[in-house]
Amino acid sequence: MASPPITSTSALVIIDLQNEFLDSKGNFPISDEIRPSLLANLTSLIPRFRESDGHIIWVQAIYENRDTEPEVMAAKDKGDGIVGNNTWLVAATHVFSVPCCEDKTWGSKIYPEVLALSVKEDVVVFKQGYSAYWNDNKGLSTAFKDKGITDAYFCGVASGTCVLATIIDTVQHGEVIVHAVPDCMGWRRANTHVEAVRRFEELGVDVITSDQI
Protein backbone atom coordinates (compact mmCIF):
# COMPACT_ATOMS: atom_id res chain seq x y z
CA MET A 1 0.00 0.00 0.00
CA ALA A 2 1.49 3.33 -1.07
CA SER A 3 1.31 5.97 1.63
CA PRO A 4 -0.63 9.09 0.60
CA PRO A 5 0.97 12.53 0.84
CA ILE A 6 0.59 14.35 4.15
CA THR A 7 -2.29 16.85 4.03
CA SER A 8 -4.72 18.57 6.39
CA THR A 9 -6.56 15.24 6.69
CA SER A 10 -3.47 13.49 8.12
CA ALA A 11 -2.59 13.10 11.80
CA LEU A 12 0.61 12.03 13.52
CA VAL A 13 -0.43 10.25 16.73
CA ILE A 14 2.43 10.33 19.23
CA ILE A 15 1.95 8.00 22.18
CA ASP A 16 3.36 8.28 25.72
CA LEU A 17 6.56 10.24 25.13
CA GLN A 18 6.75 10.94 28.86
CA ASN A 19 9.55 11.16 31.40
CA GLU A 20 8.59 7.77 32.85
CA PHE A 21 9.71 6.12 29.59
CA LEU A 22 12.11 8.52 27.85
CA ASP A 23 14.24 9.57 30.81
CA SER A 24 16.73 7.03 32.13
CA LYS A 25 15.59 7.93 35.67
CA GLY A 26 11.98 6.99 34.91
CA ASN A 27 10.42 3.90 36.44
CA PHE A 28 10.08 2.18 33.05
CA PRO A 29 12.75 3.62 30.73
CA ILE A 30 13.06 2.47 27.15
CA SER A 31 16.33 0.88 26.02
CA ASP A 32 19.36 3.14 25.74
CA GLU A 33 19.93 1.44 22.41
CA ILE A 34 16.84 2.96 20.78
CA ARG A 35 16.51 6.34 22.52
CA PRO A 36 18.93 8.39 20.34
CA SER A 37 17.48 7.30 16.99
CA LEU A 38 13.89 7.63 18.28
CA LEU A 39 14.49 11.24 19.32
CA ALA A 40 16.41 12.07 16.15
CA ASN A 41 13.71 10.65 13.89
CA LEU A 42 10.91 12.42 15.77
CA THR A 43 12.83 15.70 15.74
CA SER A 44 12.92 15.43 11.96
CA LEU A 45 9.42 14.06 11.38
CA ILE A 46 7.26 16.28 13.59
CA PRO A 47 8.18 19.63 11.96
CA ARG A 48 8.00 18.11 8.46
CA PHE A 49 4.57 16.67 9.20
CA ARG A 50 3.31 20.01 10.47
CA GLU A 51 4.77 21.91 7.51
CA SER A 52 2.66 19.71 5.20
CA ASP A 53 -0.49 20.83 7.09
CA GLY A 54 -0.73 17.57 9.02
CA HIS A 55 -2.08 17.57 12.58
CA ILE A 56 -0.15 16.44 15.65
CA ILE A 57 -2.00 14.49 18.36
CA TRP A 58 -0.18 13.80 21.63
CA VAL A 59 -1.52 10.84 23.62
CA GLN A 60 -0.50 11.00 27.27
CA ALA A 61 -0.90 8.20 29.82
CA ILE A 62 -2.24 8.97 33.28
CA TYR A 63 -2.40 5.72 35.25
CA GLU A 64 -3.92 4.92 38.61
CA ASN A 65 -1.60 3.17 41.03
CA ARG A 66 -3.28 -0.27 40.91
CA ASP A 67 -2.26 -3.49 42.60
CA THR A 68 -5.14 -5.54 41.19
CA GLU A 69 -6.40 -5.83 37.63
CA PRO A 70 -9.63 -3.97 36.80
CA GLU A 71 -12.52 -6.23 35.86
CA VAL A 72 -12.26 -5.59 32.12
CA MET A 73 -8.60 -6.67 32.16
CA ALA A 74 -9.01 -9.64 34.52
CA ALA A 75 -11.72 -11.03 32.24
CA LYS A 76 -9.24 -11.48 29.36
CA ASP A 77 -6.61 -14.19 28.97
CA LYS A 78 -3.19 -12.69 28.18
CA GLY A 79 -2.09 -15.74 26.23
CA ASP A 80 1.47 -16.99 25.86
CA GLY A 81 2.93 -14.32 23.57
CA ILE A 82 5.70 -11.98 24.71
CA VAL A 83 3.41 -8.92 24.52
CA GLY A 84 0.01 -10.50 25.17
CA ASN A 85 -2.66 -11.24 22.61
CA ASN A 86 -4.66 -8.51 20.90
CA THR A 87 -7.81 -8.98 22.98
CA TRP A 88 -5.87 -8.70 26.23
CA LEU A 89 -3.82 -5.69 25.09
CA VAL A 90 -6.82 -3.48 24.40
CA ALA A 91 -8.28 -4.40 27.81
CA ALA A 92 -5.04 -3.87 29.75
CA THR A 93 -3.75 -1.03 31.88
CA HIS A 94 -0.79 -0.56 34.21
CA VAL A 95 -0.97 -2.91 37.19
CA PHE A 96 2.29 -3.27 39.11
CA SER A 97 3.88 -2.60 42.48
CA VAL A 98 5.89 0.25 40.93
CA PRO A 99 3.74 3.23 39.90
CA CYS A 100 3.76 4.59 36.36
CA CYS A 101 2.67 8.01 35.04
CA GLU A 102 0.60 8.92 38.07
CA ASP A 103 -1.29 12.18 37.67
CA LYS A 104 0.67 15.35 38.45
CA THR A 105 4.00 13.55 38.85
CA TRP A 106 7.30 14.17 37.07
CA GLY A 107 6.98 10.79 35.34
CA SER A 108 3.69 11.73 33.71
CA LYS A 109 5.03 14.88 32.06
CA ILE A 110 6.06 14.97 28.40
CA TYR A 111 9.83 14.54 27.96
CA PRO A 112 11.35 18.04 27.60
CA GLU A 113 13.24 17.40 24.35
CA VAL A 114 10.00 16.25 22.76
CA LEU A 115 7.81 18.88 24.41
CA ALA A 116 9.96 21.52 22.69
CA LEU A 117 8.59 20.23 19.36
CA SER A 118 4.97 20.91 20.31
CA VAL A 119 2.87 23.97 19.48
CA LYS A 120 -0.32 25.26 21.08
CA GLU A 121 -2.44 24.13 18.12
CA ASP A 122 -1.57 20.48 18.75
CA VAL A 123 -4.20 18.19 20.28
CA VAL A 124 -3.63 16.36 23.58
CA VAL A 125 -5.55 13.17 24.43
CA PHE A 126 -5.26 11.59 27.88
CA LYS A 127 -5.65 7.86 28.39
CA GLN A 128 -5.92 5.54 31.38
CA GLY A 129 -5.13 2.19 29.74
CA TYR A 130 -2.66 0.82 27.22
CA SER A 131 -5.02 1.73 24.40
CA ALA A 132 -6.14 5.33 23.91
CA TYR A 133 -9.66 3.89 23.62
CA TRP A 134 -9.52 2.08 26.99
CA ASN A 135 -12.67 2.29 29.15
CA ASP A 136 -14.65 3.76 26.24
CA ASN A 137 -12.37 6.80 26.02
CA LYS A 138 -13.56 8.85 23.04
CA GLY A 139 -10.74 11.40 23.06
CA LEU A 140 -8.90 10.05 20.03
CA SER A 141 -12.08 9.47 18.03
CA THR A 142 -13.20 13.01 18.80
CA ALA A 143 -9.84 14.41 17.66
CA PHE A 144 -10.07 12.50 14.39
CA LYS A 145 -13.62 13.74 13.79
CA ASP A 146 -12.94 17.35 14.77
CA LYS A 147 -9.90 17.61 12.49
CA GLY A 148 -11.43 15.64 9.59
CA ILE A 149 -8.69 13.01 9.73
CA THR A 150 -8.66 10.21 7.16
CA ASP A 151 -5.10 8.91 7.70
CA ALA A 152 -3.40 8.44 11.07
CA TYR A 153 0.32 7.73 11.51
CA PHE A 154 1.23 6.11 14.83
CA CYS A 155 4.50 6.36 16.74
CA GLY A 156 5.69 6.57 20.36
CA VAL A 157 6.31 4.11 23.18
CA ALA A 158 6.23 1.33 23.83
CA SER A 159 5.73 -0.33 20.47
CA GLY A 160 4.68 -3.67 21.96
CA THR A 161 2.22 -2.30 24.51
CA CYS A 162 0.52 1.09 24.22
CA VAL A 163 1.28 1.74 20.55
CA LEU A 164 0.20 -1.75 19.52
CA ALA A 165 -2.92 -1.65 21.71
CA THR A 166 -3.98 1.72 20.29
CA ILE A 167 -3.37 0.60 16.71
CA ILE A 168 -5.42 -2.57 17.29
CA ASP A 169 -8.30 -0.51 18.64
CA THR A 170 -8.04 2.08 15.87
CA VAL A 171 -8.24 -0.64 13.22
CA GLN A 172 -11.28 -2.11 14.97
CA HIS A 173 -13.01 1.28 15.12
CA GLY A 174 -12.50 1.76 11.38
CA GLU A 175 -12.54 5.57 11.49
CA VAL A 176 -9.24 6.19 9.70
CA ILE A 177 -6.62 4.47 7.56
CA VAL A 178 -3.85 3.34 9.91
CA HIS A 179 -0.12 3.75 9.27
CA ALA A 180 2.60 2.55 11.66
CA VAL A 181 6.04 4.22 11.81
CA PRO A 182 8.31 1.74 13.63
CA ASP A 183 11.50 3.82 13.45
CA CYS A 184 9.69 6.45 15.55
CA MET A 185 8.79 3.93 18.25
CA GLY A 186 10.64 3.01 21.42
CA TRP A 187 10.88 -0.26 23.30
CA ARG A 188 12.33 -1.79 26.46
CA ARG A 189 13.19 -5.13 24.82
CA ALA A 190 13.99 -5.53 21.12
CA ASN A 191 12.03 -8.77 20.76
CA THR A 192 8.80 -7.04 21.77
CA HIS A 193 9.36 -4.47 19.01
CA VAL A 194 9.90 -7.23 16.45
CA GLU A 195 6.65 -8.83 17.56
CA ALA A 196 4.83 -5.49 17.42
CA VAL A 197 5.88 -4.92 13.81
CA ARG A 198 4.76 -8.44 12.95
CA ARG A 199 1.36 -7.66 14.50
CA PHE A 200 1.09 -4.40 12.55
CA GLU A 201 1.61 -6.34 9.35
CA GLU A 202 -0.83 -9.02 10.46
CA LEU A 203 -3.44 -6.32 11.06
CA GLY A 204 -2.93 -5.09 7.50
CA VAL A 205 -1.82 -1.57 8.40
CA ASP A 206 0.65 0.41 6.31
CA VAL A 207 4.11 -0.04 7.89
CA ILE A 208 6.56 2.64 6.76
CA THR A 209 9.70 4.46 7.90
CA SER A 210 9.74 8.13 8.79
CA ASP A 211 11.81 9.05 5.74
CA GLN A 212 8.97 7.73 3.54
CA ILE A 213 6.58 10.30 4.95
Side-chain angles (χ1 to χ4, degrees), residues 90 127 131-138 140-141 144 154 165-166 169-170 173 175-176:
V90 299
K127 68 181 180 72
S131 168
Y133 295 87
W134 191 81
N135 200 27
D136 200 29
N137 187 341
K138 294 180 170 55
L140 191 55
S141 290
F144 289 154
F154 288 83
T166 301
D169 250 347
T170 305
H173 278 73
E175 299 166 324
V176 295

Side-chain angles (χ1 to χ4, degrees), residues 22 38 42 55 65 85 98 136 148 164 180 186-188:
L22 270 292
L38 168 64
L42 285 169
H55 299 277
N65 189 12
N85 60 47
V98 178
D136 200 29
L164 177 55
W187 37 265
R188 287 167 59 79

Side-chain angles (χ1 to χ4, degrees), residues 176-213:
V176 295
I177 297 170
V178 177
H179 310 264
V181 192
D183 70 331
C184 286
M185 297 179 189
W187 37 265
R188 287 167 59 79
R189 293 181 295 155
N191 62 341
T192 63
H193 181 69
V194 171
E195 173 62 12
V197 174
R198 188 192 71 78
R199 297 274 188 96
F200 301 152
E201 294 171 342
E202 185 177 71
L203 288 164
V205 307
D206 178 33
V207 180
I208 56 174
T209 56
S210 58
D211 60 2
Q212 294 176 295
I213 300 175

Side-chain angles (χ1 to χ4, degrees), residues 66-79 85 87-95 134:
R66 303 173 185 269
D67 55 11
T68 58
E69 295 182 354
E71 184 178 347
V72 65
M73 182 178 177
K76 305 297 181 183
D77 179 18
K78 184 177 181 179
N85 60 47
T87 303
W88 179 85
L89 277 168
V90 299
T93 187
H94 180 77
V95 182
W134 191 81

